[in-house]
Amino acid sequence: METHPASQAPARGPMGVVRFLALVLLGALIGAVAAALAVGFVTAVLWLNEALLISPRSRMMFDRPDLLLVATVAVPALGGLVVGLLHCAIPERRAHTPADVIAAVQTRQGRLPARAGALSALSALVSLGAGASVGQYGPLVHLGATLGSLGTRLLRLGRSEDNITIACGVAAAIATAFNAPLAGIVFAHEVVLRHYALRAFAPIAAAAIVGYVIATSVLDRGALFHVADTAVPRPWEFALFLAIGGLGALVAGAYMRAILGAGRLAARLPLAPALRPAAAGALLGTTALWVPDILGIGQETLRFATIAGAYGSDELVIVLVLKIAATALCLGMGFSGGVFSPALVIGTLFGALCGSLVGELGALSADTFIYYAVCGMVAVTAPVIGAPLTSLLIVFELTGSYALTTAALASVTLASPIAAQLFGRSLFDTQLRARGLDLSAGRGRAVLQSMPVGEHLSHDGVTLAPSVTVDRAVAQLGRAGHGEAYLVDGAGRYRGCVTLADLEGARASQDAPASVGELATTERPVLHPTTSLWAAMTTLETVTGEALPVVDEADGETFLGVVYETSIARAYLAHSDELRQEEHGTG
């Protein structure tokens, strides 16, 4: 079996310390470059929003109402056309997302393609700049991860290092985007790596810290939003925060289902995939003629939703529903972007609506309105991205308020478990499950699902022509030291399996068959070269024998060889050992 760098014993002693420090320095370098790219990306999006009349400020200051109406429809439509053309240059005909990052790490394949990553980032830049209702954090996460993978590839490092550097890029992107290094570190572990190895922690922390320093000091970027000192909520309000968490899980589920449903609907439309984003942009722009708040990232909408009285209850309902629909439309029809930013906006609108309704009952003061908005924000966001700890840390690092974070904790307490039971761990996991990668059973299963049995194909099995006599078959199996043989005809097609017990039993009977082809063959499932190790292990649960035959997937008959049960068991143990070494910081 092939030996990978990840399965080799790590260096110990002084050399191990040197390699570890080099990995930390590499993480810091990746963090610096990822932070610079993230800030440049966000700056470019904001500039495009101003130039293309997407931002509320530019729309308010533009003095040609007739041209503003045309631009509101034309800009998203033309932007969608450019996005569709860009996606034609990506092998999968779609932008890569954080789900691809998670898949690369969880299956230990790594090696995110740089070209697809660059085109995905450019596609997201056009989408966001043209006002599509998508998020900026997903593209930043994928861009940082691609940068980390590229660094590992250039330095010819192993799989474990690739996973770590991918997580470094992710942590730096989140730390830069939110001015939240702790959230970046936890997000990389909680969502991408899904384990907390000491060997990975230091490089990831270095990347997040460098990203934070560049974002706040060198490039002087402000935080997503600021919250002034707030009053402490009354004890009974924490019951409402819990209720917001439960209801927020349903809102998060509706948001995720809308995105997935829009994607399925788009696939059935009689419209070329390259033209779908343009159609979505035109529909989005037309709707924005009446409700411009649904355009773009929605940062201004988020900020106003945290202010008591900025929106009425009716306005909050309209913008909330249309923002969900607009984001589902844009992502489902092929625009490139993330789900994190819209989830923040949708969750804040939902929390503000809850606060407004409580206020209409006369039980809420303006000083505690922000608690409801923030609770709604985390109640929706945490289930969507599958990161409750990250969501809480973002609140704490953005606001510096322990009271607000405690209130948000009350909402997350119900939101994440309820959403996980009803809809799954996150939207990313749901998307991967639709692609055939189920992470619900853990990383070990994901790795085995990505490993084809073709890598363990053997030609040592005994093959017999159907015309061979029983006596000759018994002799041939005895010489080879095997207990079963595989019948293959003159055209190389698989015709069944016979065991030594079958042959001995037939030879001892009074009406012994003249050839093994006349013998009732043992029922034996067949595999294909692309069958996963996990599927092969599942098949072995119902089979007693030495090996499973492998046939060509194209015709389902051409015999290629066998995969021995012992080979599958060794591969399982080897991959399990690699995972244990990596997750315990020794591999």
Side-chain angles (χ1 to χ4, degrees), residues 165-182:
T165 55
I166 285 174
C168 287
V170 169
I174 293 295
T176 304
F178 288 101
N179 289 353
L182 293 179

Side-chain angles (χ1 to χ4, degrees), residues 104-365:
V105 172
Q106 292 304 305
T107 60
R108 303 193 77 245
Q109 293 179 344
R111 306 304 194 247
L112 294 171
R115 182 172 181 272
L119 288 172
S120 297
L122 180 59
S123 170
L125 179 62
V126 174
S127 298
L128 289 159
S133 180
V134 295
Q136 63 180 348
Y137 303 119
L140 292 179
V141 163
H142 188 270
L143 182 61
T146 302
L147 177 66
S149 182
L150 178 62
T152 303
R153 202 154 54 245
L154 292 176
L155 296 175
R156 300 178 181 275
L157 301 178
R159 286 180 178 176
S160 292
E161 287 80 7
D162 195 5
N163 287 348
I164 292 173
T165 55
I166 285 174
C168 287
V170 169
I174 293 295
T176 304
F178 288 101
N179 289 353
L182 293 179
I185 294 169
V186 173
F187 182 84
H189 286 89
E190 188 177 22
V191 176
V192 179
L193 289 181
R194 304 196 180 187
H195 64 78
Y196 290 85
L198 287 176
R199 185 166 179 262
F201 178 80
I204 292 171
I209 292 170
V210 171
Y212 171 75
V213 170
I214 289 177
T216 57
S217 302
V218 179
L219 299 177
D220 194 24
R221 272 203 67 239
L224 178 65
F225 66 91
H226 297 279
V227 177
D229 293 336
T230 57
V232 177
R234 286 158 287 187
W236 60 265
E237 287 185 284
F238 280 89
L240 294 180
F241 301 153
L242 283 169
I244 288 175
L247 295 174
L250 302 181
V251 175
Y255 172 56
M256 292 186 281
R257 289 284 174 85
I259 292 173
L260 298 173
R264 290 190 293 267
L265 178 63
R268 295 197 294 266
L269 292 177
L271 189 65
L275 299 178
R276 290 172 190 165
L283 183 56
L284 173 72
T286 302
T287 307
L289 293 175
W290 288 274
V291 187
D293 303 79
I294 64 175
L295 287 173
I297 302 171
Q299 286 188 357
E300 291 300 318
T301 303
L302 186 151
R303 291 189 181 103
F304 279 111
T306 60
I307 302 173
Y311 287 111
S313 298
D314 294 342
E315 292 176 300
L316 288 169
V317 171
I318 293 172
V319 178
L320 172 63
V321 172
L322 288 180
K323 188 64 178 178
I324 293 175
T327 305
L329 171 71
C330 290
L331 291 175
M333 292 287 280
F335 269 110
S336 176
V339 297
F340 199 165
S341 300
L344 290 172
V345 176
I346 291 166
T348 305
L349 289 168
F350 165 70
L353 176 61
C354 293
S356 296
L357 295 176
V358 173
E360 291 175 5
L361 297 176
L364 174 70
S365 68

Side-chain angles (χ1 to χ4, degrees), residues 428-450:
F428 306 137
D429 283 27
T430 303
Q431 291 171 331
L432 291 175
R433 187 165 60 248
R435 300 179 199 171
L437 178 59
D438 187 358
L439 298 176
S440 62
R443 194 179 181 206
R445 175 173 172 175
V447 170
L448 294 176
Q449 284 179 325
S450 67

